[in-house]
Amino acid sequence: MSAPASPAAADCIQNVTILGATGSIGASTLDVLARHPERFRVFALSAHSRLDALLALCQQHRPALVSVPEAAASEFARRLREAGLKTEVCPGERGLCDIAAHNETHVVMAAIVGAAALPSVLAAACAGKRILLANKESLVMGGQLVLDAVRRHGATLLPVDSEHSAIFQCLPAAACIGEEAPGLRRIILTASGGPFRTLPASAFAQITPEQACAHPTWAMGRKISVDSATMMNKGLEVIEARWLFDLPGERIEAIIHPQSVVHSLVEYVDGSLLAQLGQPDMRTPIACALAWPQRIEAGVGSLDFTQLAALEFHAPDTERFPCLRLAYDALAAGGTAPTVLNAANEVAVEAFLARRLPFPGIAQTIRAVLDALPVAAADSLDALQEADRRAREAARKHLQQTP
Ligand code: NAD
Ligand code: MG
């Protein structure tokens, strides 16, 4: 690791807090940071499980702070002391919000999976941080709330989801997150189609968690891998795009592109289409968000066009993959409907991964919960968390009643 050239250079080093450091995005982020020690320092880390892996990261990166679940905090503090580390433990959800909003944190990588990320994303926004947003569920639930907080407190929100990073990179340089860019006709999100793109619906009931988690082009956490297999991932991304680019659902399209080389497209009113292309490697959008508007090395090689057989594009099949349609419906219903969709999906995916629910049961559960619960205004964190709680309860009840 090279030493900073001068005290002035040391002052320019950005302190990075990684929420969800032990996950797939956390690992890719640490990989990119390690390539730029003169620019970034790991300031704080968090993990929910796999605390052995977190301890190893603490030994390697020596963060000032870590956040772990409340119940694990004192034991983890003991292990840190035994390892001779001075890292301070900030327990539970409060601790996540504290490390996100800490006055020495410059950059927050929001890479926790699921609804659990929302409070810390809001805390980072309210503290005016530069937020690299991998977690899409927080925008699905609280898009309005998060963007209001970003604007009010002068925070910077940068997309990390590869499709949204692609779109952001194709927008005019002056474009602002949360505002419709001038001259835009529509945006097109590409989707790999997941591992069951060509599987007949009659075989869906036999799909196992292992098959669902074996994504053809991206290596990701288990929850997002199942979301990709059901195409709920693309549905969540449509809602995420609605907030990041301030467009109605009708102007956000999803298209199947099995090679995952074109990461998404923007169409302007004059008929021009701009796309961002590259290897399917999350280090590209992570590096892009870390350094934006500059560019830094991400460890990602060049794309060899001569090795690409063909680039295919197909319309999605919402008969076999009803989750995509459910997400558009929830977006149109507005209010807490996307929160309900997301919570029901999280419960159903967990049940599928635990072999308590067949693959087609995921969409059935979400539909039943959306039908059962009324839509309320999504105007406070409390309202969102209450809708989330009620949807989880309704989803569990539905699962109990399903043979
Ligand atoms: P992952 O499962 O690999 O890692 C999740 C991380 O969150 C872990 O560090 C885990 O300890 C932590 N976590 C889990 N539950 C938690 C809870 N209740 N409270 C606090 N922390 C908790 O997931 P991932 O694939 O890295 O995805 C993270 C987020 O990024 C997701 O929202 C996902 O949709 C999004 N994303 C991921 C990818 C990808 O390629 N992996 C791409 C785009 C977007
Ligand atoms: Mg994506």
Side-chain angles (χ1 to χ4, degrees):
M1 194 161 106
S2 61
S6 66
D11 288 347
C12 292
I13 294 187
Q14 304 247 297
N15 280 340
V16 183
T17 288
I18 307 177
L19 306 175
T22 51
S24 161
I25 293 288
S28 295
T29 304
L30 287 163
D31 182 287
V32 177
L33 294 181
R35 293 165 196 276
H36 304 281
E38 73 299 344
R39 231 181 141 121
F40 303 108
R41 174 194 298 131
V42 174
F43 176 69
L45 299 173
S46 90
H48 190 67
S49 56
R50 301 187 56 228
L51 298 187
D52 292 344
L54 182 65
L55 186 66
L57 292 180
C58 289
Q59 284 167 319
Q60 192 181 348
H61 299 284
R62 303 191 166 254
L65 306 170
V66 283
S67 180
V68 296
E70 201 96 47
S74 54
E75 165 67 5
F76 196 73
R78 189 187 61 73
R79 292 178 72 187
L80 285 168
R81 278 196 306 275
E82 271 178 21
L85 297 173
K86 295 201 171 68
T87 305
E88 193 187 316
V89 179
C90 306
E93 187 179 294
R94 183 69 259 152
L96 285 174
C97 294
D98 287 347
I99 65 173
H102 195 282
N103 57 13
E104 287 182 57
T105 292
H106 299 118
V107 179
V108 175
M109 165 52 84
I112 288 173
V113 62
L118 179 59
S120 53
V121 168
L122 272 174
C126 291
K129 302 301 182 192
R130 181 179 176 100
I131 307 167
L132 318 187
L133 191 72
N135 174 279
K136 59 198 84 186
E137 295 91 343
S138 52
L139 277 193
V140 168
M141 293 174 73
Q144 187 74 64
L145 222 54
V146 171
L147 282 159
D148 285 351
V150 164
R151 283 190 202 104
R152 199 168 323 117
H153 300 280
T156 304
L157 190 64
L158 290 157
V160 170
D161 214 347
S162 58
E163 296 77 1
H164 305 73
S165 172
I167 290 163
F168 181 61
Q169 293 178 61
C170 294
L171 291 180
C176 287
I177 285 293
E179 289 173 27
E180 183 182 339
L184 214 61
R185 181 181 283 160
R186 60 175 178 152
I187 58 179
I188 303 164
L189 303 174
T190 52
S192 70
F196 312 124
R197 182 173 60 85
T198 57
L199 193 72
S202 57
F204 276 23
Q206 276 73 52
I207 289 171
T208 65
E210 291 72 24
Q211 291 168 328
C213 289
H215 195 275
T217 48
W218 296 94
M220 309 180 286
R222 278 160 72 80
K223 191 261 179 183
I224 184 177
S225 296
V226 177
D227 285 349
S228 299
T230 61
M231 288 206 67
M232 178 54 92
N233 184 48
K234 212 47 52 184
L236 298 178
E237 290 183 357
V238 167
I239 304 176
E240 181 185 13
R242 180 264 169 270
W243 294 109
L244 289 172
F245 308 115
D246 193 24
L247 292 174
E250 304 80 68
R251 289 166 63 199
I252 306 171
E253 287 176 33
I255 189 159
I256 306 291
H257 166 48
Q259 292 77 21
S260 301
V261 165
V262 177
H263 296 311
S264 279
L265 308 95
V266 167
E267 188 181 82
Y268 289 95
V269 286
D270 59 8
S272 289
L273 274 164
L274 299 192
Q276 186 258 351
L277 284 71
Q279 306 269 17
D281 187 324
M282 287 307 292
R283 292 177 300 175
T284 295
I286 290 168
C288 179
L290 270 168
W292 189 262
Q294 296 173 7
R295 297 282 182 171
I296 55 172
E297 177 62 52
V300 180
S302 298
L303 194 62
D304 182 353
F305 282 95
T306 63
Q307 295 302 307
L308 293 174
L311 297 182
E312 298 164 62
F313 299 93
H314 312 282
D317 178 351
T318 51
E319 292 296 316
R320 280 187 311 138
F321 299 100
C323 286
L324 181 58
R325 175 55 47 210
L326 291 172
Y328 272 106
D329 291 349
L331 175 58
T336 51
T339 300
V340 170
L341 170 98
N342 179 66
N345 180 55
E346 287 190 26
V347 171
V349 169
E350 209 177 282
F352 167 71
L353 285 171
R355 298 174 208 279
R356 286 186 277 110
L357 184 69
F359 188 80
I362 298 175
Q364 287 157 10
T365 304
I366 300 164
R367 186 180 286 123
V369 174
L370 278 171
D371 287 348
L373 295 186
V375 176
D379 50 6
S380 68
L381 180 59
D382 282 351
L384 294 174
Q385 288 184 324
E386 175 61 11
D388 176 87
R389 194 190 58 72
R390 292 188 58 182
R392 281 169 201 270
E393 203 174 88
R396 291 197 185 102
K397 207 164 129 196
H398 179 82
L399 292 180
Q400 276 164 11
Q401 288 163 356
T402 311

